[in-house]
Amino acid sequence: MKPASWPRDDALDERLLHIDPRAGTLQDGRVRDLARWLRAGDLCVVNDAATLPASLAGAGPSGAPLEVRLVGARAEGRFGAVLFGAGDWRTPTEKRPPPEVVAPGETIVLGGGALRATVERLSPISPRLVDLRFDREGAALWSALYRHGRPVQYAYLRAPLALWAVQTAYAARPWAVEAPSAGRPLRWSLLLELARRGVRLAAVTHAAGLSSTGDAALDAALPLPERYDLPAATVEAVAAARAAGGRVLAVGTTVVRALEGCAAAHGGGLVPGAGETDLVIGPGFRPRVVTGVLTGMHEPGQSHHALLHAFAAPDLLARAHAHAEAAGYLCHEFGDSALVL
Amino acid sequence: MAGAAVKTATGMELRDAAAIVTGASRGLGAALARRLAAEGARVVLVARGAEELTRVADQIRAAGGEAHALAADVGDKDAVHAIAGAAAALVGPVDLLVHNASTLGPTPLRLLLDTECEDLEQVLAVNLVGPFRLTKVVAGSMVLRGRGTVVHVTSDAATSAYPRWGAYGVSKAALEHLGRIWAAELEGSGVRVVTFDPGEMDTQMHRDAIPDADPATLADPAEVAARLLAQLRGGGVAGAAPRGREEALS
C-alpha cells in the first residue's frame, strides 16, 4: 500500500473503509461519514496524549553526530530513548548508520550544546535503547525539549513536519512520541455531531511509542511497555455503555492496548488510574472491553495489523487489505482509516 | 464532552486546578498566579522575560504554592504547542486558561495616522491571535473532559473609542467578540468562556499608557485578582466592577 507522504488539506475527506466483522462486508466511505456506523449509546474512546517533539539532534561522547528519539518519560528528568547514528528522518531507519556505542555515565550533548543528558543504563534488548538523565528538570526541561526537539517522522514523508501537524484536536499531556494517529483526522465538527447523536466520548492517555527503529532486535521487541492513565470518568462511561448495550469503539491501537492492558492486569475489569502495559494483542486475543477499533491502514505483518485479528477474521482482513490496496487507500500516519466494528 | 447530555458550565473548584496564566511576570498576571496558587491551584506562569517570571514563580513556591515558569511569547506561533504541552506535562490537562498577556504597542500611545501597520499587526498577534491559538490547542481537551474555563482579560478600550488607543482598543474589541463566539460554539460543552474587565489598575502597563495618572485612583492588582477568582468560583455573572465591565459569556 502506498504511504501518504504529507497531511491532506481536508482530513474529514480522507477515506474510511468500514470492515464489518459480523456481516463479513466491506464498505467504502469518508471519515466525515463515521456517524453512519455508530449509534446512540455507543462509546468512542480516544487517546488524548499530545505528541512530544521527541527527536533531538546531538553528538555522542566522542563528538560523533547522533539522533536521540525519546520513547517515554521514566521519572522527573529521566527519559527512555533510542539512539540513531548520523543523519535524520530522510534516511529510512533500517539504512541509518548505527550510533556510537555509549556506556553508562557518558554524556550526550543535544541542541548544539544547549541540553545535556547522561546515559544511566543500557537495555538488555539493544545497547541503542538507553535510559537518559537530563541536566535539568521540570519547566526548564520541558521548555528545552520543545525548543530543540522535532517531531519523530519517517522517510516516506516529503518534508519536515510542524509540531501542530502531529497533534489531535483534543490533545493534552505530551506523553506520545509518535502521534496517536487514528484520531488525527477527527475534527470537532464530527465529534460534536457524534455527541449530538448520542455517541459518548471519553479519553485515556496512552504514551504511544516509536513504531520503528531499524534495529532488528529492538523492532522485534516493539511495542515496548507503555504507560497509560485511565480517568474514572472513562471507566464509568465504559460501564454505562456496556450496561445499556452500547459498543466500545477504541480510536487507535493505543486505546485498545490501554483498555485491554488495564483489564488484563485487573482480572478483566477496568480500574481508574495510571498503569503500564506490556500487553501485545494479536490473533487469538479475546478483547474484554473493546468492541471495535478505528485505526489507520496497516500492512499485514505489522503489529498494528496483528492487533486487528482480535476483532475480525483473517480472511476478512485479507480481503480488506486487498480491496484497500486496489482502491488506492493510503497507509501510515497521514493515510486513510479503517473502522473494524 | 463525555456524553450527549448538555452540560451547564458552573463555578470551578480552584484547589488542585491546573491553570495557565499568561503575562504572569507582573501586574494582574502575577497577582492572579499568586492568588491561584494560594488557593491550591497548580499554576503555570507564562511571560516573555524569564528573569522576572522566575522571580514570581520562586516567590510562589517559597510561600508553599505550586508554580512553574515558562518563558515564551504568546504572540509567537511556534510557541503555542510548547506552552500548552509543557504546561500539561507539568500540571496535567489544563482546567483554567487566563489570557492576561497583552501589549499596548509603542508608547507613548499614538494616533492611528501615526501607527505603523507592523505595530498594529504585532498588537493583534499578542492580544488576539495568540489567545485564539492557545485556546484552540487547550480547549479541545476541555471539551472532551466536559469542563474548563477560559478567561479573556479585556479593557474598556474595547468599547470606548479613546483617541491614541487604536491598536490596543481594536485588539480588545476583537478579543471580546472572539470570547462571545467561543462561548456560543462551546455552549453545552461544560466549558466556560469569561471576559473580564479589570478596570484601571496600578500597574506598569498603566504607567506606560498614562504616566501622569494618580496611583491613588487606581485599583490594586491583588484585589482585582481576588475579584476575578470569586467570579470563577461562582457560576453566574458577577456584579459590575467598580469601573469597567465584567461579563460571563457562558
Side-chain angles (χ1 to χ4, degrees), chain A residues 208-261:
Chain A
L210 298 177
S211 53
S212 169
T213 69
D215 176 313
L218 203 42
D219 284 344
L222 297 179
L224 299 168
E226 289 159 354
R227 67 187 173 131
Y228 63 84
D229 188 19
L230 182 57
T234 301
V235 175
E236 287 159 19
V238 168
R242 290 162 62 112
R247 298 168 298 176
V248 177
L249 176 69
V251 177
T253 56
T254 59
V255 173
V256 179
R257 207 166 178 233
L259 293 177
E260 296 297 336

Side-chain angles (χ1 to χ4, degrees), chain B residues 54-148:
Chain B
T54 304
R55 193 156 53 233
V56 178
D58 287 346
Q59 288 165 357
I60 291 172
R61 278 194 294 269
E66 180 172 344
H68 308 271
L70 287 180
D73 180 353
V74 296
D76 174 9
K77 183 177 182 179
D78 289 321
V80 174
H81 282 279
I83 295 169
L90 291 162
V91 297
V94 175
D95 302 305
L96 172 65
L97 171 57
V98 183
H99 295 295
N100 168 76
S102 69
T103 177
L104 293 164
T107 53
L109 294 171
R110 295 174 185 178
L111 297 173
L112 282 175
L113 280 170
D114 295 330
T115 295
E116 301 294 342
C117 301
E118 290 76 10
D119 289 333
L120 174 66
E121 286 172 0
Q122 175 59 17
V123 170
L124 292 175
V126 173
N127 298 4
L128 175 68
V129 184
F132 165 70
R133 288 194 187 111
L134 194 51
T135 302
K136 179 173 147 64
V137 173
V138 168
S141 152
M142 290 179 173
V143 176
L144 187 62
R145 287 174 292 132
R147 64 170 196 276

Side-chain angles (χ1 to χ4, degrees), chain B residues 20-34 36 43-49 52-57 59-60 68-70 72 74 98-102:
Chain B
I20 298 177
V21 180
T22 68
S25 59
R26 56 193 192 185
L28 178 61
L32 274 170
R34 286 194 175 94
L36 280 165
V43 188
V44 175
L45 295 84
V46 180
R48 272 179 305 170
E52 257 185 311
L53 187 70
T54 304
R55 193 156 53 233
V56 178
Q59 288 165 357
I60 291 172
H68 308 271
L70 287 180
V74 296
V98 183
H99 295 295
N100 168 76
S102 69

Side-chain angles (χ1 to χ4, degrees), chain A residues 143 146 164 172-174 188 195 200-201, chain B residues 1-2 4 69-70 81-82 85 88-89 140:
Chain A
S143 292
Y146 274 95
W164 49 82
R173 290 174 289 186
W188 274 107
R200 294 188 69 183
L201 305 175
Chain B
M1 188 179 289
L70 287 180
H81 282 279

Side-chain angles (χ1 to χ4, degrees), chain A residues 302-316:
Chain A
Q302 295 175 334
S303 68
H304 286 58
H305 193 268
L307 179 141
L308 296 183
H309 284 80
F311 299 94
D315 61 322
L316 179 60

Side-chain angles (χ1 to χ4, degrees), chain B residues 3 17 40 49 51 57 68 83 139 152 181 185-186 188 200 211 231 233:
Chain B
E51 202 173 313
H68 308 271
I83 295 169
H152 289 148
I181 295 173
E185 291 190 352
L186 298 179
E200 290 188 65
Q231 183 181 338
R233 270 193 304 266

